Amino acid sequence: MGDYPLKDRALWKKKAGAFVTRSHRHLWGKNNEDPLVFLFRQDLTHQFVKDMHLGWNKHGQQRRLQKWGLDNKKGNDEQTGSFILPSGIVFPYIVEKQLISVWIQPMDPSSIPYMVPGSANKPILLGNPTNPMKSINGLFKGLGLFYEKKEMLCIEILP
């Protein structure tokens, strides 16, 4: 994740934004029962999932670093010139209509979420920053708490 510094932020935002949009459409497309059941079991409503612009990456995908505006410190051979977007639930961290980072959570709640290369490596803040802040480890634990307490708390998620 951190091995590939960002060379072109505008290109990364374009590619990552397209991935997020495509994933969101996949979640609400055909054959989507498994990810919707997974999200339901996390106690998240369909409307909340739509509002948070969550998506679903059905199959792992290999992407070229340079085409995403990422620098390959290790050289440009076939083995290190790309990265994988794994399958799972896609969470875009968007602040004031700007894509900050993208996380992919495998559909196993005990699995560790994957931060897409080029994403800002900082905590996710959800809600009104003037509300009392609650820090929580775990992407879906944080989303669940935000869903329940979004009017009362600002949630800091440490994925």
Side-chain angles (χ1 to χ4, degrees):
M1 291 179 286
D3 291 346
Y4 309 111
L6 199 54
K7 274 183 10 185
D8 185 343
R9 178 157 293 284
L11 179 58
W12 183 86
K13 283 185 178 186
K14 179 181 174 185
K15 294 291 188 171
F19 170 69
V20 165
T21 300
R22 191 170 48 254
S23 299
H24 185 71
R25 288 182 181 147
H26 286 165
L27 181 60
W28 301 104
K30 295 179 181 180
N31 303 316
N32 60 357
E33 294 84 10
D34 290 341
L36 289 177
V37 167
F38 173 82
L39 292 166
F40 177 77
R41 288 182 178 157
Q42 305 306 309
D43 295 326
L44 303 177
T45 66
H46 286 332
Q47 190 58 53
F48 180 78
V49 168
K50 286 180 180 181
D51 292 345
M52 297 302 293
H53 207 69
L54 298 183
W56 176 42
N57 190 31
K58 183 175 183 177
H59 302 288
Q61 304 164 18
Q62 188 169 357
R63 294 292 181 253
R64 301 289 300 163
L65 292 166
Q66 289 181 334
K67 290 187 177 186
W68 274 59
L70 299 166
D71 188 17
N72 182 4
K73 285 195 221 178
K74 300 174 187 173
N76 285 324
D77 61 85
E78 285 300 313
Q79 292 178 340
T80 62
S82 62
F83 67 98
I84 299 290
L85 294 169
S87 63
I89 301 298
V90 176
F91 170 73
Y93 179 38
I94 301 168
V95 177
E96 297 177 6
K97 298 184 181 182
Q98 295 295 314
L99 183 60
I100 306 299
S101 59
V102 180
W103 295 87
I104 302 174
Q105 172 68 51
M107 288 197 309
D108 171 2
S110 65
S111 295
I112 298 170
Y114 171 82
M115 184 176 69
V116 172
S119 295
N121 191 6
K122 58 184 186 178
I124 298 165
L125 293 176
L126 300 175
N128 186 340
T130 62
N131 287 343
M133 185 173 294
K134 170 80 174 164
S135 291
I136 192 157
N137 287 316
L139 184 59
F140 278 94
K141 285 182 184 178
L143 286 174
L145 185 59
F146 178 64
Y147 172 70
E148 291 175 15
K149 307 280 185 178
K150 62 183 160 217
E151 302 301 323
M152 298 179 278
L153 295 174
C154 178
I155 306 299
E156 176 185 46
I157 302 174
L158 310 166

